[in-house]
Amino acid sequence: MAKRGEPAILLLFGLPTAAIDWQIAESWRLPAWVSLLAAAVVIVAFGAVLLLPRLRAVGSAIMAAVLYGMPVIGGIARWKLIPSPKALIGDGAYQMQLARGVLMRGIDPYGFNYAGTGMERAPWSQPFANPSLHHLDYWPGTIVLPLPVQAAFRAVFGWWDERLWLLLVAAVIWIVIGRLAPGPVGRMAALAFFLIPGHSLLAVLGDNDLPMVALLLAGMLAIHRERWLLAGGLIGLAIATKQTALIAVPVVLCWSVARGIGWHRLLQACGLGAAVIAVLFTPFLIWNAHAFISDTIVFNLGGGTETYPIQGIGLSAWLLQIGFIHDAREAFPFFLIQLPLVVAAWVMAGRWFAQRRAIGDAIFWIGIALFVFLFTNRFSQQAYLLLGAELILAGLIARLWRQPDIVAEAPVPVAA
């Protein structure tokens, strides 16, 4: 596996990703020497993985950095240097950095009118205006956690791009996966996560699920090392960062119980996680509870002109296309479909953990639960489905790693 698995993963996922990256460079009309230089670096790095065992870790990291990170850096540079009527950043990532700027000016980012801030120039494929111009549906952790980084960078350089933060988080995920499954297996899992075809294309606009994933994986690493309170705090941060993390919580709880956490420690960890959420939520609830609830809950679950419209490639889009749902903003009880399917995934995960408790099993079932939930969600975009597929693949590969057994040495008899 150490000799063949890593090069095989790089070929299987790296070649399609390289082809997509090449098309991105062609559409941007980048000079040919830039693409050729990146290709040369990738080829040399792959040669190191294939032929030089001591340099495999470095070669894999370089390939992931070039194939995943370079298009993102190119998107940042292009948006910064080349004037364009269209903003080369997704509306979600752009709104995050705008919301922090609003907060640093002492204004509540929830209920704020983002029209006229430049967000209306972000890519939007619908015939009507983006309703996010008047709603911020991201939870407080998304705004607060990166705020010191954004403030410091902007103070030094005078500008900021949300994708800088997301690239930093991507590096953290690479490191954490390597800690969860050390050696070649961890690198293969990380490569599958970042180089799944299409990931770099979506990351160009802002891979804004990464902070939540990083916190979830860090929490699982803490559970793996039986640092229960740290795990509770990290999972709380993940929930406060993005609502989607709630779907992973029952899987994490089942895995923690299977790993041997006592009820006393479990309650302490849950209490700490709830406290973290409360600390981040309370200031905004005190500031303007109506705006906070309207932006983060009603906006996603309600119906009418102020509801996020159905879009993407999931079940909701299918029902809209066949006429079962008549309008993209029509209220529909997707929760009645989601809940039984997600609960079934949770129950299956719990039964699975009764026999198999490896870290890869936990990552795999988190991916299954997220995929099921997001596919049946009101808006199921490509990035959401890709997120579930990334975790499923990474989990399946991470299952190949087995923690070495520690054999206690027998005491040496002492001669009388």
Side-chain angles (χ1 to χ4, degrees), residues 149 160 162-175 210:
V149 180
W160 171 256
E162 183 68 11
R163 289 165 293 187
L164 295 171
W165 165 250
L166 298 176
L167 284 174
L168 178 62
V169 174
V172 171
I173 291 177
W174 178 274
I175 294 170
L210 289 187

Side-chain angles (χ1 to χ4, degrees), residues 41-185:
V41 171
V42 168
I43 291 171
V44 171
F46 181 73
V49 173
L50 192 63
L51 304 174
L52 303 172
R54 293 184 178 181
L55 295 179
R56 280 197 183 121
V58 176
S60 291
I62 290 174
M63 288 193 69
V66 173
L67 294 177
Y68 174 84
M70 283 298 293
V72 180
I73 294 172
I76 295 171
R78 185 175 176 83
W79 187 35
K80 181 70 178 170
L81 300 175
I82 300 178
S84 172
K86 240 352 173 187
L88 192 62
I89 186 173
D91 61 324
Y94 195 25
Q95 189 176 32
M96 289 177 187
Q97 69 181 63
L98 289 173
R100 277 184 228 112
V102 168
L103 181 60
M104 285 188 283
R105 284 157 41 201
I107 303 172
D108 184 6
Y110 295 100
F112 182 77
N113 185 2
Y114 290 90
T117 60
M119 202 180 88
E120 59 271 13
R121 298 189 295 114
W124 178 252
S125 59
Q126 300 297 328
F128 42 81
N130 188 342
S132 293
L133 290 169
H134 309 288
H135 299 278
L136 174 66
D137 67 335
Y138 299 103
W139 279 9
T142 304
I143 304 168
V144 175
L145 292 182
L147 194 147
V149 180
Q150 177 173 333
F153 190 95
R154 193 173 186 87
V156 174
F157 298 101
W159 62 278
W160 171 256
D161 191 297
E162 183 68 11
R163 289 165 293 187
L164 295 171
W165 165 250
L166 298 176
L167 284 174
L168 178 62
V169 174
V172 171
I173 291 177
W174 178 274
I175 294 170
V176 171
I177 293 177
R179 297 291 186 271
L180 289 168
V185 172

